[in-house]
Amino acid sequence: MIAVDWGTSNFRAYRVAAGGGVVDVRTAPLGILAVAPGRFASVLDEHVADWLADGAGPVVMCGMVGSRQGWVEVPYVPSPAGLAEIAAGAQRLRVNAATSGLILPGVCCRDAAGVLDVMRGEEIQILGALDAGGDGVYCLPGTHTKFAMVAGQQIVSFRTFMTGELFDVLCRHSILAKTMDRLDGTDDAAFADGVRRARAGGALLHDLFGVRTRALFGELPSAAAASYLSGLLIGHELRDAAPAGHVTVLASERLAALYARALALAGVEYTLPDPVRALTRGCAAILALLREGGH
Amino acid sequence: MIAVDWGTSNFRAYRVAAGGGVVDVRTAPLGILAVAPGRFASVLDEHVADWLADGAGPVVMCGMVGSRQGWVEVPYVPSPAGLAEIAAGAQRLRVNAATSGLILPGVCCRDAAGVLDVMRGEEIQILGALDAGGDGVYCLPGTHTKFAMVAGQQIVSFRTFMTGELFDVLCRHSILAKTMDRLDGTDDAAFADGVRRARAGGALLHDLFGVRTRALFGELPSAAAASYLSGLLIGHELRDAAPAGHVTVLASERLAALYARALALAGVEYTLPDPVRALTRGCAAILALLREGGH
């Protein structure tokens, strides 16, 4: 099987052996917004032609590739949604003459006030990590961080937080940009200060201005300001998401380290399963369900 | 007297008659960041030369003109601060051979956790509006909205909220920009929806993503998305600032209308004194104090 996580900004393909192990990886900064309509099959072929020639398919794809701007629009499946609901909503297509493909649907959920939320891609990681995380809270940090509640092996509800994107626009386009001279790396003490400040219970809109005043008065070095802001935002997110007891975090190495630090400061237990393993396991489980169902 | 509010982005001068009335106004998009060091006296002269020739001075200036990047750096006065403390911290200078000038200090305040906050210019409006607002909560909406607590005719404490700037960067630089086709004007129903959503008690970082999902599902027209976002941000700000009983709002006409609407939805009483009258009264009161003191 080939599992593909095709998002807004990146293309990531994993060649999965029969036993479930990832034997090869191809990534490219070719998110769906960089692919012209009608060109998805060609772009896929350009990156994994040799795998396809080897008969490594089928290709199971998730993420924004199933959105309106993607290869084929695959409607969101409403929560609660588990592997069976995702499998039932999957869309078949031909990758080439010899290889079949599947595009998996995302999940949508409506909160008590009727406001919708959506995910595409994260649901597969969550369902693929159930052996590690079981029922409970899942956190998938990123540009748009997801917090999902899983019960009975289904995604029951979830909320998206615009944390990563807010960090990015504030660092690049707000008055806070003037207080920062580096955005890479992490100043651990400043990050922890930000988390603690957020946990003190103040208002996010006010705490953001504090980045500027602390810098203005020489209490926050410009090399540490971005880390402090990151801690503030993640701290507020965790305070509002209020995961109790235990959280399963599915994140890249860099974000996993930040969330581990912030959760530890919040006194919340966490586990950090491998997000790639979760993705490929999720794709494989859905493929197996469809085969069992005789499809 | 000539009262000047010289901020980061704008220069505003008011010619004040002996009786206190504003008889003429000059404004220009010449904030302090647009003025080269050493050029402040010339820029002032270019805009009010005729007033100065009439002997309309002295010139009483407040705002960022007293900051490190301004004409002369005038250190912040710590809160609690009233007219007397501001007057004592004022810096004298010559505007020209015939006219003297004053640059008034801003106010700083440290919260319980030791984090600093600052204002420059708003303090003069607050102290100039005491006859209208008395002791209690003052709100000065803008790029960086201030909420101040006044007791015993002194600014006792205050908090800055980055509400206006966050609205601006999200509208222009985030994924939410794609959901909006107009930023001018106000869709009153969408604004009220945003305020109500904020008051429902959710997380700001999550509610922001809701702008995108509501647009994605056709539940928020692109002409209304900016107003909904504005309502969300102001609603969260008011929820966190939690003014009780009564608020005195000092704002331009456009922002005054938005805050009046949001405060009404929150069930908070408000008054809307004229912010220009507040500014000129504040400047005049400080000038009078300095003259009484024989300075």
Side-chain angles (χ1 to χ4, degrees):
Chain A
M1 181 194 67
I2 298 169
V4 177
D5 178 8
W6 208 337
T8 305
S9 311
N10 289 288
F11 167 90
R12 295 189 186 89
Y14 305 95
R15 184 171 179 175
V16 183
V22 173
V23 292
D24 202 357
V25 181
R26 302 275 159 83
T27 63
L30 270 172
I32 63 149
L33 298 181
V35 178
R39 291 272 308 150
F40 285 90
S42 323
V43 170
L44 177 64
D45 190 65
E46 282 161 25
H47 287 88
V48 297
D50 53 334
W51 298 357
L52 294 173
D54 285 353
V59 182
V60 183
M61 293 174 272
C62 66
M64 294 301 282
V65 67
S67 71
R68 205 172 299 164
Q69 291 79 35
W71 190 335
V72 174
E73 184 172 3
V74 185
Y76 291 101
V77 170
S79 65
L83 290 168
E85 289 74 18
I86 304 274
Q91 180 97 28
R92 287 150 199 291
L93 45 72
R94 299 298 315 171
V95 167
N96 62 28
T99 310
S100 66
L102 274 180
I103 299 189
L104 306 183
V107 177
C108 64
C109 126
R110 210 177 266 279
D111 70 15
V115 176
L116 276 157
D117 208 334
V118 292
M119 56 167 67
R120 275 201 192 270
E122 294 90 349
E123 66 288 345
I124 308 303
Q125 291 184 57
I126 294 169
L127 298 172
L130 288 179
D131 65 322
D135 284 356
V137 178
Y138 285 71
C139 168
L140 293 90
T143 304
H144 300 150
T145 297
K146 310 287 181 186
F147 277 86
M149 177 60 72
V150 172
Q153 307 220 310
Q154 289 189 315
I155 297 168
V156 174
S157 64
F158 62 89
R159 282 186 291 169
T160 305
F161 292 76
M162 240 172 88
T163 316
E165 181 164 7
L166 201 58
F167 176 74
D168 191 54
V169 297
L170 288 172
C171 286
R172 293 194 295 128
H173 299 293
S174 80
I175 196 171
L176 303 186
K178 296 180 190 174
T179 68
M180 300 173 183
D181 70 2
R182 55 176 299 179
L183 302 182
D184 61 320
T186 299
D187 180 315
D188 182 66
F191 179 82
D193 271 354
V195 173
R196 277 188 286 260
R197 173 71 179 173
R199 298 199 63 74
L204 174 57
L205 289 168
H206 171 53
D207 284 347
L208 294 178
F209 193 72
V211 180
R212 170 149 173 78
T213 44
R214 292 193 62 191
L216 194 66
F217 284 87
E219 296 178 2
L220 184 65
S222 56
S227 291
Y228 177 72
L229 174 63
S230 172
L232 269 185
L233 288 167
I234 292 174
H236 272 280
E237 178 196 284
L238 291 178
R239 200 185 88 192
D240 287 334
H246 181 272
V247 187
T248 303
V249 180
L250 291 159
S252 66
E253 210 168 312
R254 191 182 66 80
L255 285 175
L258 292 181
Y259 275 75
R261 182 84 169 105
L263 286 163
L265 287 165
V268 176
E269 285 179 28
Y270 57 88
T271 45
L272 298 163
D274 178 357
V276 169
R277 179 177 174 278
L279 180 86
T280 56
R281 273 180 56 89
C283 288
I286 287 161
L287 193 62
L289 267 186
L290 288 171
R291 282 173 172 165
E292 281 167 22
H295 299 287
Chain B
M1 182 193 68
I2 298 169
V4 176
D5 177 7
W6 206 338
T8 305
S9 312
N10 288 288
F11 167 90
R12 295 189 186 89
Y14 306 95
R15 183 171 180 176
V16 183
V22 173
V23 293
D24 202 356
V25 181
R26 302 273 159 81
T27 64
L30 270 172
I32 63 150
L33 298 180
V35 178
R39 292 273 306 150
F40 285 89
S42 322
V43 170
L44 176 65
D45 190 64
E46 281 161 26
H47 288 88
V48 298
D50 53 333
W51 299 357
L52 295 173
D54 284 354
V59 181
V60 183
M61 292 174 272
C62 67
M64 295 300 283
V65 67
S67 71
R68 205 172 300 165
Q69 291 80 35
W71 190 333
V72 174
E73 184 173 3
V74 185
Y76 291 102
V77 170
S79 65
L83 290 168
E85 289 74 18
I86 304 275
Q91 179 96 29
R92 285 150 202 289
L93 45 72
R94 299 298 315 170
V95 168
N96 62 28
T99 310
S100 66
L102 274 180
I103 299 189
L104 307 183
V107 177
C108 64
C109 120
R110 211 177 265 279
D111 69 15
V115 176
L116 276 157
D117 207 334
V118 292
M119 57 167 67
R120 276 199 192 272
E122 294 90 349
E123 67 288 346
I124 309 303
Q125 290 184 58
I126 295 169
L127 297 173
L130 287 179
D131 65 322
D135 284 356
V137 178
Y138 286 72
C139 168
L140 294 89
T143 304
H144 299 149
T145 297
K146 311 288 181 184
F147 277 86
M149 176 61 71
V150 172
Q153 306 221 311
Q154 287 189 315
I155 297 168
V156 173
S157 65
F158 61 89
R159 282 187 291 171
T160 304
F161 292 77
M162 240 173 88
T163 317
E165 181 164 8
L166 201 59
F167 176 74
D168 191 53
V169 298
L170 288 171
C171 285
R172 292 193 294 129
H173 300 292
S174 80
I175 196 170
L176 302 186
K178 297 180 189 173
T179 68
M180 300 173 182
D181 70 1
R182 56 176 298 177
L183 302 183
D184 60 320
T186 299
D187 181 315
D188 182 67
F191 178 82
D193 271 355
V195 173
R196 277 187 286 259
R197 173 71 179 172
R199 297 198 64 75
L204 174 57
L205 289 168
H206 172 54
D207 284 347
L208 293 179
F209 193 72
V211 179
R212 170 149 173 80
T213 44
R214 291 193 62 191
L216 194 66
F217 284 87
E219 297 179 0
L220 183 65
S222 56
S227 291
Y228 178 71
L229 174 63
S230 172
L232 269 186
L233 288 167
I234 292 174
H236 273 279
E237 178 196 283
L238 290 179
R239 202 185 86 193
D240 288 334
H246 180 273
V247 187
T248 304
V249 180
L250 291 160
S252 66
E253 211 167 311
R254 192 182 66 79
L255 286 175
L258 292 180
Y259 275 73
R261 182 83 169 104
L263 285 163
L265 287 164
V268 176
E269 286 180 27
Y270 57 88
T271 44
L272 298 163
D274 178 355
V276 169
R277 179 178 173 279
L279 180 86
T280 56
R281 272 180 56 90
C283 288
I286 287 160
L287 192 62
L289 267 185
L290 288 170
R291 283 175 171 164
E292 283 167 21
H295 300 285

